[in-house]
Each structure stands twice: as structure tokens, then as C-alpha cells.
Amino acid sequence: MSAAVTEADQTTSTENTGPREGAFGNAVALACRECSHRVDLGPFYACPECFGPLEIAYEFPAITRAEIEAGPRNIWRYKALLPVPTDIEASPNTEPGFTRLLEAKNLAAELGLARLWVKDDSTNPTNSFKDRVVACALSAARELDAKVFACPSTGNLANAVAAAGARAGIKTVVFIPSNLEQPKQVNSAIFTESLVAVDGNYDDVNKLASEIAGEEEGWAFVNVNVRPYYAEGSKTLGYEIAEQLGWRLPDQIVIPVASGSQLTKVDKAFQELIKLGLVEDKPYRIFGAQAEGCGPVATAFKAGTDAIRPVKPDTIAKSLAIGNPADGIYVLDIARRTGGAVEEVTDDEVRAGIVLLARTEGIFTETAGGTTVAVTRKLVETGQLDPELETVVINTGHGLKTLDAISGQVGAAATIAPTYESFKATGIA
């Protein structure tokens, strides 16, 4: 399975390895996000007409809330809205999703917000939101008869691909920057013997993966040649938030931005729910969060331009360290269309965000979540976020994966002798 981009090659590929009927549920085609040109469903990600990105197009039947609520408590409860077969539960997967949506009263009070929720995706099987997208990508890889399941990654995706591949019994190969946090490396290596550390940043790793996808047959790179299917998994975050709020949309939502795909798919989920009549149509505002050491989308937003200038990442928020974000321009479109914004914070503010979320809500987030909390604070302070409106922030991963970022910031308040007098001397009592 090569990353073909010409119509002739695509036709040849689908003729040879055509997927079974119903392999992609209610998905009917791949549609270009730039020129709307359509191609058959297959392992393709670039438009043969204009080289714009392809995404899944559907013809949805009538879908009811009751049908969804009768489904399993994971992302497959929304299978009618995803490019997966109706019997998806029969195939081994990590079954991510339906993570908790916590009302964060203590954090809301600290930030000066009337009502705040945290969508906590750190409780997924490999402790990040990436399990959602990988579950959809694995389904596509199976239906397209892939022999190798692979990805370039800033860490969380590598963890999710390695774990899902292990459970599915398919060979996995994951590529990461060699300077990635050690816990994330261990969290991948425990599931696969084919963890490849590349000397370079994520953009270098991604470029290598694209080259391999074009050369090797039978490889499904989840975020390269099966990216349209993979990206759809992020929609389930939007579906769950709406369902957990009692089938309604929040007024405001703050989402971390790396490639930008997650933010665009949450918006797509909200739009689909509106069109299907599953939620009331209402205005909502979407905000993006980046770190200053890798904030090309925030920079473009503030400059009022659509030109996103790639940067060389230099931030502790390594899971957001994509210097040339593929979906950046679409993030700008959505932020502007909905009345939101894209903001950035320093590494010190990221660390402060991690500590704040932990000490107000008992949630230990990784650096991406710290970035989101810190940006939320900044958006309130600068008047960009309406403090009276209901707000949701997304925590995408667990803090145990990025301990280095917070080491030295917290620790024992005192080291004492095992006596009551020594304890009293600390002044803690």
C-alpha cells in the first residue's frame, strides 16, 4: 500500500485490493478539502487534482440519540458516524473513548470562569487521546489489507499505534525524534520491538515516514497514507462532549494545537451533530492553544494572515512540537469563523498550568494539557474568552509521560527526622 497521489495509480490500487462492501460504514468517498474533487475510498491522502488534503465524505442515514446511547461505552457507540464497518466491535482494538467529562469548579474559580469542564482523555488505554484516532486508522488498515502498521510521532501516537498493533496482532513500526521524553519512548518500546529513534525533529521524522510510505508496499502509516480515516477518530471527542452535556454544545472550547487536526475534527463533529438534528444549532467558539516555542498558528492568527510560517520547535511541550502543522490553515479558518482565537504561552506558563490543574482538580496532565490550561488563563485575562459562558478544555494526555518537564518544580516540602517535634517545626500543621 503506497501513498499514491495520481488518479491512475489510485484506480489501479482499488482494482487490485478493493475493500469489502461496507468496510467503511457510511463513508462514500474521499473529498478534497480545497477543490471538493472526489476519489474512491482507498489508501490516499492527497487530491490528484490539486494535491489538497483528502477527508472522508459520508451519506448518513437517519441516526437517533437512542441508537447511539444503546452502543458500547467507547468510541464505537458512534460507529455510524465513522469510516468503520458495522461489525467493528468484532475486531480486537484498544476500545478507547467515552472518557470522563469533569465539572471543574475549583479551576473555574481560580480562572474566574462561571462554569468550566475538563474533558479528560488521559484515561484512554495508553493515556492519551491518540487511542481514538489510532482505533479508526487500525480499522482502515485492516480493510485495506495492510501488513505493517506505522507512524511518525511526537510520542503519544507512537504509544497508541504500538499498543493497538500488539492487540490486533499486526506488525508495528514507530518513528520518533531521538530526543523524545524517555517515558514516551518506554511506553512504545514495551509494545513493539520496532521503535526507531530518528536524529531530527518531528518534521524530519514525518518527512522520512512519507518517503517510506511511497516506497514500501503494504505499510499503513496512520497519519500519512491512511490519514483521512485516522483523523476521523478525533470527531468522537466532539460527540462525547455533546452527549455528556445532555446532547448540547458548549459555548466555548479550548483545544491544544499540534498539526491542528484535532481542533478541525471537533468542529466537524459539532457540525455533523447539528445537521443530523442530534443537538440544537447554536453559536460556539473554538480556541486553539500552542506553546511559544512552537506557535506558528498562533503567530499567523495574531498577524491576521493565512500564511503559516514553519518554525523549528523549541519547547517543553514536545507533543505539540510540529513546526509545520498540516491543518494549521484550517485551524485559522475555524477560529475566525466561530469568533475564537489561537493563543500561545511560555514554557514556564505551561509548567504553571500543569501544577494548577493538578492542585485544583486532581488531574495530572502532560505538557499539552498544561499549555491548554495556561492558554485558557491567558484568554480570560486578555478578554478573549467570555468568563460568563460555559467552557470546556481538553486534556489530551497523562503527566506521567512528561515528568521531566515538571521535575524540579515540585517536591517534598521538607525532609525531617521521624519525630513529632521535627514535623511541628515545618509549620505545616
Side-chain angles (χ1 to χ4, degrees):
M1 178 167 44
S2 62
V5 296
T6 66
E7 195 159 27
D9 288 345
Q10 290 177 358
T11 300
T12 299
S13 179
T14 52
E15 286 176 350
N16 292 338
T17 62
R20 64 183 174 122
E21 186 176 354
F24 301 110
N26 293 313
V28 294
L30 296 172
C32 178
R33 293 167 75 177
E34 293 296 328
C35 72
S36 300
H37 178 76
R38 288 195 173 199
V39 298
D40 291 340
L41 292 162
F44 319 122
Y45 63 98
C47 176
E49 295 292 323
C50 70
F51 295 99
L54 297 172
E55 69 173 356
I56 306 292
Y58 299 90
E59 289 182 3
F60 291 127
I63 299 170
T64 67
R65 294 177 183 175
E67 289 170 344
I68 292 173
E69 291 167 352
R73 291 179 66 83
N74 58 51
I75 65 170
W76 302 141
R77 69 198 284 108
Y78 308 106
K79 62 184 179 183
L81 300 164
L82 299 170
V84 299
T86 54
D87 61 350
I88 182 63
E89 297 102 317
S91 302
N93 213 307
T94 55
E95 291 84 34
F98 220 69
T99 55
R100 57 186 183 173
L101 180 71
L102 297 173
E103 183 165 13
K105 293 183 178 179
N106 296 330
L107 181 60
E110 184 70 29
L111 298 180
L113 290 167
R115 195 170 194 190
L116 176 65
W117 302 84
V118 176
K119 180 60 174 171
D120 185 15
D121 249 22
S122 69
T123 57
N124 272 315
T126 66
N127 305 113
S128 88
F129 80 103
K130 289 295 187 181
D131 292 311
R132 297 174 182 274
V133 285
V134 167
C136 289
L138 177 59
S139 175
R142 279 196 182 102
E143 301 298 341
L144 295 168
D145 199 28
K147 307 303 181 191
V148 181
F149 199 45
C151 70
S153 173
T154 57
N156 284 327
L157 180 58
N159 299 169
V161 165
R167 177 155 165 71
I170 183 172
K171 178 181 175 64
T172 58
V173 182
V174 297
F175 299 85
I176 58 169
S178 58
N179 68 345
L180 196 64
E181 298 100 328
Q182 191 64 21
K184 286 183 177 174
Q185 296 196 36
V186 173
N187 270 291
S188 293
I190 195 66
F191 299 118
T192 178
E193 60 185 14
S194 299
L195 169 69
V196 181
V198 179
D199 288 331
N201 59 33
Y202 173 79
D203 298 294
D204 298 319
V205 180
N206 190 46
K207 189 180 301 181
L208 171 62
S210 298
E211 182 179 351
I212 296 171
E215 295 291 335
E216 297 291 337
E217 292 292 328
W219 284 53
F221 276 90
V222 303
N223 49 348
V224 182
N225 55 349
V226 292
R227 183 179 180 85
Y229 310 89
Y230 153 92
E232 291 292 281
S234 284
K235 294 193 307 180
T236 58
L237 267 166
Y239 300 149
E240 287 179 17
I241 290 168
E243 183 179 351
Q244 290 170 319
L245 287 176
W247 292 107
R248 60 182 177 81
L249 303 181
D251 299 317
Q252 305 174 133
I253 182 167
V254 186
I255 305 172
V257 172
S259 73
S261 175
Q262 183 186 65
L263 186 148
T264 67
K265 296 307 178 186
V266 169
D267 177 64
K268 186 177 182 182
F270 287 175
Q271 290 296 313
E272 287 178 347
L273 293 178
I274 291 170
K275 289 175 182 174
L276 289 166
L278 294 170
V279 299
E280 181 182 351
D281 190 0
K282 56 161 282 188
Y284 59 85
R285 305 170 73 197
I286 295 186
F287 297 83
Q290 292 199 301
E292 283 189 3
C294 187
V297 186
T299 300
F301 181 86
K302 293 176 183 177
T305 177
D306 289 336
I308 297 176
R309 181 172 296 179
V311 301
K312 186 175 182 179
D314 182 17
T315 172
I316 62 170
K318 296 188 187 302
S319 61
L320 303 182
I322 296 179
N324 189 16
D327 284 353
I329 191 169
Y330 304 109
V331 169
L332 291 173
D333 287 345
I334 292 167
R336 289 167 179 154
R337 170 171 57 80
T338 64
V342 186
E343 189 53 272
E344 58 190 348
V345 290
T346 66
D347 281 354
D348 283 345
E349 289 172 315
V350 172
R351 295 186 184 94
I354 293 171
V355 175
L356 180 61
L357 183 58
R359 294 187 175 174
T360 54
E361 300 298 339
I363 298 173
F364 186 15
T365 179
E366 65 165 357
T367 49
T371 303
T372 306
V373 171
V375 163
T376 302
R377 178 192 283 277
K378 191 169 184 177
L379 290 168
V380 174
E381 292 174 347
T382 56
Q384 298 177 84
L385 203 67
D386 189 333
E388 298 304 317
L389 296 180
E390 184 178 53
T391 304
V392 173
V393 299
I394 293 180
N395 174 37
T396 51
H398 201 286
L400 288 175
K401 294 188 177 191
T402 57
L403 282 175
D404 288 352
I406 205 69
S407 295
Q409 304 295 307
V410 294
T415 301
I416 62 172
T419 65
Y420 179 68
E421 290 74 18
S422 294
F423 171 65
K424 288 293 288 182
T426 65
I428 293 175

